[in-house]
Amino acid sequence: MSDVAYDRLYDDITGGKLQPNERLIELDLARELGISRAAVRNALIRLEQEGLVKREPNRGARVRLVSEEEAVEILEARMALECVAVRHAALNRTPEDIDELRALLSKMEDHLKRGDLLAASDVNGQFHRRLIEIANHSTISRLLKMLNSQLIRFQYRTILTPGRPPSSLAEHRAIFEAVAAGDPDAAEKAMRTHLSRVAKALKQTAAEARSP
Amino acid sequence: MSDVAYDRLYDDITGGKLQPNERLIELDLARELGISRAAVRNALIRLEQEGLVKREPNRGARVRLVSEEEAVEILEARMALECVAVRHAALNRTPEDIDELRALLSKMEDHLKRGDLLAASDVNGQFHRRLIEIANHSTISRLLKMLNSQLIRFQYRTILTPGRPPSSLAEHRAIFEAVAAGDPDAAEKAMRTHLSRVAKALKQTAAEARSP
DNA sequence: CTCCGGGAAATCGTTGACAATTATGTTAAC
DNA sequence: GTTAACATAATTGTCAACGATTTCCCGGAG
């Protein structure tokens, strides 16, 4: 029963239905989901550990607001971990994996040609997630799931940056080529340049948001 | 009240008082700590998220057993993150920080000369922890805390490896020099070689434990 | 008009009890 | 002697209620 609350809240927070800093009142959520308050409480504790929720003693829980600085921090950590993951992916990948990644890449290309940036961002997420599955590294996988869930709000912003879509596609293609070739060094390098450019784009949009 | 249970269990697990795979019965713990079962339950949920405890539906919680493979995984993730952290440390460090690190290093040297490996291992932990504090990177700090707590059982083994102590000291000294010099590239490189050698030592002792 | 205090409402923290599930032990049949 | 079925115990899952804390609102004094 606690899982119900967890899944629901997870989706609502990462999906944007719940705004940052919005209060999460145990009783309300319990009534809404038709479960007990204790179950909601447990879900909130789990979400707090994952960094999606902030709980303060006697003051309840809120959707955690991820500051720009923190977003950069998270991206930095993610870069370090995802570079290791992509190395493993380059060594583990099967021919089927390569086909799947290629398919995702061409799907992404289609969306970009059609100008559908949100769909492209979606495929982008799938591409990265698939790479991590291929890496088959449970620890890194666990950590990256945490980090990514906190970044979703920012993630779909970066691809909206002017001029970003075509280079993003090229960067992903470079990652794909290296993984397909089974070259961990090249894969890591490609991933590193990709994510550092995402970070750069993020900083840029953040700066623009501050002084428009 | 839940924090009491959390702190106690955390210390007992990382301190080795509770053996891996040992059952953690909510009611017993609650009585022992003089608190309610719900508080214990909350603590167990938090510990599960941190990877110290494994909970199975309707079958209770156990101290999580970290396999050798997983220890290597964790070490790999830790390497990636700590390399980033040490870069920041090299850029952020103040003169006081340098003095502190130098003091820790000489303390470590003393312990090794005296042959007190456990004390040396302790200072080793302090050294790494201090570096992370200096890095001032909340996200990486959070992740590393999780990873390290799972490794403590293995950590003090690696320095016991024959021939390891002197090279370990040299590796730490290299990290220190780079951080003191404010050279992030050198710091990262030094940290990387250090941790890869720790991983190598870990694999070696693990192999020996398998076939003595 | 502003600021301070008091009281009510809202919400969280904690507890104990009950239901549901899994583990254990015992007996009987083969 | 071994296994199957059953009863019993141990443990977790769920819930509703009570007490504690914070927040909010309102009236009165300055």
Side-chain angles (χ1 to χ4, degrees):
Chain A
M1 283 293 153
S2 167
D3 294 341
V4 176
Y6 175 84
D7 291 341
R8 171 66 173 277
L9 284 170
Y10 185 94
D11 290 345
D12 284 358
I13 293 175
T14 57
K17 285 188 186 174
L18 293 170
Q19 295 306 313
N21 244 323
E22 185 168 339
R23 285 197 65 183
L24 299 172
I25 292 155
E26 297 178 359
L27 195 57
D28 292 353
L29 295 170
R31 274 199 282 249
E32 191 180 337
L33 300 174
I35 57 182
S36 121
R37 205 158 69 87
V40 174
R41 207 178 162 72
N42 291 347
L44 290 174
I45 292 172
R46 285 166 65 185
L47 290 165
E48 180 182 31
Q49 293 292 347
E50 295 194 9
L52 286 180
V53 156
K54 172 105 187 249
R55 287 192 339 137
E56 286 177 293
N58 282 316
R59 300 167 115 250
R62 295 173 173 277
V63 178
R64 184 150 158 252
L65 174 73
V66 180
S67 69
E68 292 158 16
E69 294 162 15
E70 209 182 338
V72 174
E73 273 196 9
I74 291 171
L75 213 48
E76 213 168 2
R78 185 188 146 190
M79 183 171 356
L81 293 172
E82 211 155 331
C83 283
V84 177
V86 84
R87 290 188 73 90
H88 284 251
L91 297 171
N92 289 352
R93 90 279 181 279
T94 66
E96 294 79 40
D97 293 331
I98 296 178
D99 289 344
E100 266 191 72
L101 288 174
R102 198 199 324 272
L104 284 173
L105 208 56
S106 76
K107 207 191 261 186
M108 190 176 171
E109 189 173 6
D110 288 350
H111 287 313
L112 285 178
K113 273 185 184 165
R114 217 176 298 122
D116 189 347
L117 296 181
L118 266 80
S121 171
D122 219 56
V123 178
N124 170 36
Q126 287 178 43
F127 185 84
H128 283 266
R129 245 171 286 138
R130 194 74 196 84
L131 275 177
I132 291 159
E133 280 176 25
I134 295 170
N136 195 30
H137 195 298
S138 59
T139 303
I140 286 185
S141 168
R142 199 161 48 93
L143 297 178
L144 281 175
K145 182 180 168 272
M146 279 180 48
L147 294 178
N148 275 323
S149 58
Q150 295 180 42
L151 268 190
I152 291 189
R153 200 174 311 281
F154 287 86
Q155 210 161 13
Y156 59 74
R157 271 207 208 141
T158 60
I159 211 169
L160 303 179
T161 310
R164 189 77 193 105
S167 42
S168 174
L169 182 64
E171 288 157 27
H172 282 95
R173 185 164 285 139
I175 295 169
F176 167 75
E177 296 294 349
V179 169
D183 183 342
D185 291 331
E188 175 175 352
K189 196 176 167 192
M191 179 63 83
R192 184 154 275 151
T193 67
H194 169 53
L195 288 177
S196 69
R197 286 192 192 154
V198 172
K200 196 175 162 191
L202 179 71
K203 283 175 191 163
Q204 190 182 320
T205 57
E208 280 170 10
R210 254 192 308 270
S211 57
Chain B
M1 284 293 156
S2 165
D3 294 342
V4 176
Y6 175 84
D7 291 341
R8 171 67 173 277
L9 285 170
Y10 185 94
D11 290 345
D12 283 358
I13 293 175
T14 58
K17 285 188 187 174
L18 293 170
Q19 294 306 313
N21 243 325
E22 186 168 339
R23 284 197 66 181
L24 300 171
I25 292 157
E26 297 178 359
L27 196 58
D28 293 352
L29 295 169
R31 274 199 283 249
E32 191 181 337
L33 300 174
I35 57 182
S36 122
R37 203 160 68 88
V40 174
R41 207 178 163 72
N42 292 346
L44 289 175
I45 291 172
R46 285 166 64 184
L47 290 165
E48 181 182 31
Q49 294 291 332
E50 295 195 9
L52 286 180
V53 157
K54 172 105 187 250
R55 286 193 341 135
E56 286 178 291
N58 283 316
R59 301 166 113 251
R62 294 173 173 277
V63 178
R64 183 149 159 254
L65 173 73
V66 179
S67 68
E68 292 158 15
E69 294 161 16
E70 207 182 338
V72 174
E73 273 196 10
I74 292 172
L75 212 47
E76 212 169 3
R78 184 187 146 191
M79 183 171 359
L81 294 172
E82 213 156 328
C83 283
V84 178
V86 83
R87 290 188 73 91
H88 284 250
L91 297 171
N92 289 353
R93 91 279 181 278
T94 65
E96 294 79 40
D97 293 330
I98 296 177
D99 291 343
E100 266 191 73
L101 288 174
R102 198 198 325 270
L104 284 174
L105 207 56
S106 75
K107 207 191 262 186
M108 189 175 172
E109 190 173 4
D110 288 350
H111 288 311
L112 285 178
K113 273 184 185 166
R114 217 177 298 122
D116 190 347
L117 296 181
L118 265 80
S121 171
D122 218 56
V123 178
N124 170 36
Q126 287 178 43
F127 185 83
H128 283 267
R129 243 171 288 135
R130 194 75 196 84
L131 274 177
I132 291 160
E133 280 176 25
I134 295 169
N136 196 30
H137 194 295
S138 57
T139 302
I140 287 184
S141 168
R142 198 160 49 91
L143 297 178
L144 282 175
K145 181 180 168 273
M146 279 180 47
L147 294 177
N148 275 322
S149 58
Q150 296 180 42
L151 269 190
I152 292 190
R153 199 175 310 280
F154 288 87
Q155 209 160 14
Y156 59 74
R157 270 207 209 143
T158 61
I159 210 168
L160 302 178
T161 309
R164 190 79 193 103
S167 43
S168 175
L169 183 64
E171 288 157 28
H172 282 95
R173 186 164 285 137
I175 295 170
F176 166 75
E177 296 293 349
V179 169
D183 184 342
D185 291 330
E188 174 176 353
K189 196 177 168 193
M191 179 62 84
R192 182 154 277 152
T193 67
H194 169 54
L195 289 178
S196 69
R197 287 193 191 153
V198 171
K200 196 176 162 191
L202 179 71
K203 283 174 192 166
Q204 190 183 321
T205 58
E208 281 169 12
R210 253 193 308 269
S211 58

